[in-house]
Amino acid sequence: MRARTLHPGTASGELIRLTAPLSFWGGTDATGRIVDAHHPQCGAVLAGRILLMPSGRGSSSSSSVLAEQIRTHTAPAAIVLATPDPIIPLGALIAAELYNLCLPVVVAPYDDLPPHGRLQVHATSDDATITLI
């Protein structure tokens, strides 16, 4: 499947599909677990997985939380959004600049991706692909 790159990188992992938007600030903890008590997937671990969600959910502070999770290796391996979001790729950009760690962020049709399985995300500045592996 083709996708649109918001931040380049390559990653693979087990897919986790969220049914609602998520804010990293207040929505996840330092281990990469969803702690927002109102989120449908509260308790799920995002660390090392390919995160698929409809969109991000606010706070500009989410970018710093995501950058810290990338630094500590507790972030998702890649993030696939159904709609573009400026905050999530900013966190990936910060981590790339400060820590030389890349987390791909792409936009792809939410409903066209499988509900589970292992995916590889390969994103360059020109294009991106998502492959079931």
Side-chain angles (χ1 to χ4, degrees):
M1 163 183 291
R2 309 239 359 136
R4 177 179 156 210
T5 301
L6 297 182
H7 190 266
T10 299
S12 60
E14 191 68 30
L15 174 67
I16 181 165
R17 177 189 289 263
L18 301 188
T19 57
L22 176 70
S23 173
F24 285 91
W25 182 74
T28 62
D29 68 10
T31 69
R33 181 179 304 276
I34 298 174
V35 294
D36 178 348
H38 302 289
H39 196 277
Q41 280 86 31
C42 183
V45 176
L46 306 178
R49 298 175 81 182
I50 305 296
L51 172 59
L52 169 62
M53 63 181 174
S55 65
R57 189 184 80 206
S59 184
S60 58
S61 298
S62 284
S63 60
S64 62
V65 172
L66 179 58
E68 180 63 9
Q69 287 180 351
I70 295 168
R71 184 188 72 79
T72 61
H73 304 283
T74 58
I79 299 175
V80 180
L81 301 167
T83 58
D85 177 277
I87 302 302
I88 292 172
L90 178 60
L93 175 66
I94 291 166
E97 290 296 316
L98 293 179
Y99 313 123
N100 199 30
L101 298 171
C102 289
L103 182 144
V105 181
V106 301
V107 176
Y110 181 86
D111 293 332
D112 291 352
L113 288 161
H116 50 77
R118 288 188 58 80
L119 298 179
Q120 179 178 51
V121 177
H122 178 72
T124 67
S125 57
D126 296 324
D127 73 354
T129 56
I130 302 170
T131 308
L132 186 61
I133 55 173

